[in-house]
Amino acid sequence: MAAAPAPFHVGALLLFLLGALASGVTGTSPDIKAYVTSGSGKLVLACNMTGQYLPTQGHEWMREGKVLQKDADTSAFTSYTIEGKMEEHSGVYECVYKTNPVIKAHLNISVAPKVTAYKKSEHGNEGDTGVLVCKSSSFPPVTSWIWYKHGQEPIINGSGRYIIKSSGNKTELRILKLNIEEDSGDYHCNATNAYGQGSATVNLRVRSRFAALWPFLGIVVEVLVLVTAIFIYEKRRNRDEVLDDGDGGSAPLKSNATNHKDKNVRQRNAN
């Protein structure tokens, strides 16, 4: 059993190695010393097996059942480097020695909750139920959630039209029978665990109960305008066709009269 190292600080983020546990092997008692170092925005997890131990054929680093890194190195020392925001990489890590049987140690990287809103902006119709959701993927899990509206006291579950459902790293606020004047605004979800607090903001916009009809009414108006335009066009076209037919009937009569006159003139000249 390895001793737990002391807490350390990375920027404004507090990280703490809770402990490292090594599984024993019958006949031999390997001792895995697990520790964490930080610097230059990086976090280095390391394991070193001391004492008598079986030959190893390599190492693996795992988190939540997923292999992050593996090698075929036979040394007693292995390390894994984490880059980026530490709160996004919190959790339980394992350094695994490929011996027979396998030997491993656990390292817990713990941070204050990093809270995110499922949607930063939610919309709801007046009279419907509004649903606001926040979550945190940080380790350890959130121990308590608190919802409150901007500038007001914390919301009590079951009070008024509010229902709060929280489970581990997720919380949900339901607002029954939304009211435009009372319920629109910013809502804050606050999470707490043993290492601190975190929060996120969700903006709720409540629309009139008739808001859903406006798109339909817009379509109806567009159809009416289109039908009217087609009707006017067809009416004008029909009128133009009637006028064209009238002109076509008189023109041949005039032409026949002219031809008959010309014929009579030619006959007189011949006589």
Side-chain angles (χ1 to χ4, degrees):
M1 180 78 66
F8 61 93
H9 189 268
V10 180
L13 182 65
L14 181 63
L15 298 170
F16 185 68
L17 178 61
L18 290 180
L21 304 176
S23 59
V25 181
T26 304
T28 60
S29 298
D31 183 19
I32 299 180
K33 296 186 180 298
Y35 54 92
V36 179
T37 58
S38 62
S40 302
K42 298 180 181 180
L43 195 67
V44 180
L45 283 61
C47 288
N48 188 32
M49 188 158 54
T50 60
Q52 295 182 348
Y53 57 87
L54 297 175
T56 179
Q57 298 180 353
H59 315 91
E60 288 183 349
W61 280 91
M62 303 182 66
R63 179 192 178 200
E64 299 177 353
K66 180 180 179 181
V67 177
L68 305 174
Q69 174 182 294
K70 61 181 179 180
D71 60 56
D73 192 353
T74 60
S75 67
F77 177 83
T78 180
S79 65
Y80 177 71
T81 302
I82 300 174
E83 299 185 22
K85 297 180 179 179
M86 296 301 105
E87 60 266 27
E88 296 178 356
H89 299 281
S90 62
V92 180
Y93 291 79
E94 291 181 323
C95 59
V96 181
Y97 286 83
K98 295 181 181 179
T99 57
N100 188 16
V102 170
I103 304 172
K104 63 179 66 175
H106 298 81
L107 298 91
N108 296 345
I109 304 302
S110 304
V111 299
K114 176 178 174 57
V115 181
T116 57
Y118 181 72
K119 289 183 179 179
K120 293 183 178 180
S121 180
E122 288 283 2
H123 299 79
N125 294 325
E126 187 178 21
D128 292 345
T129 298
V131 181
L132 312 181
V133 180
C134 288
K135 58 183 180 179
S136 171
S137 57
S138 303
F139 180 87
V142 175
T143 55
S144 68
W145 287 96
I146 297 176
W147 282 92
Y148 62 95
K149 191 176 180 181
H150 185 71
Q152 299 183 9
E153 296 295 324
I155 297 173
I156 300 175
N157 186 23
S159 64
R161 296 176 287 111
Y162 300 112
I163 298 176
I164 299 175
K165 295 182 180 180
S166 301
S167 58
N169 284 343
K170 181 180 178 181
T171 183
E172 176 183 284
L173 171 64
R174 289 180 174 266
I175 307 174
L176 307 179
K177 297 181 180 179
L178 289 173
N179 183 287
I180 293 179
E181 297 180 357
E182 297 179 8
D183 299 325
S184 297
D186 290 335
Y187 290 80
H188 307 278
C189 52
N190 184 278
T192 303
N193 67 10
Y195 294 87
Q197 298 181 346
S199 63
T201 301
V202 184
N203 179 262
L204 175 62
R205 298 179 181 179
V206 182
R207 299 173 294 192
S208 169
R209 67 185 63 187
F210 301 107
L213 295 177
W214 290 118
F216 174 74
L217 293 177
I219 294 174
V220 171
V221 171
E222 290 180 358
V223 172
L224 290 176
V225 171
L226 180 60
V227 170
T228 302
I230 293 175
F231 176 77
I232 294 174
Y233 171 77
E234 290 293 336
K235 187 175 182 180
R236 288 184 176 179
R237 190 180 68 172
N238 291 336
R239 185 179 63 182
D240 292 341
E241 288 179 354
V242 170
L243 293 176
D244 290 343
D245 291 342
D247 294 341
S250 60
L253 294 177
K254 182 178 180 181
S255 177
N256 289 336
T258 302
N259 292 336
H260 183 69
K261 182 178 179 181
D262 292 341
K263 183 178 181 181
N264 293 334
V265 171
R266 286 196 298 271
Q267 287 179 350
R268 286 196 300 268
N269 293 334
N271 294 331

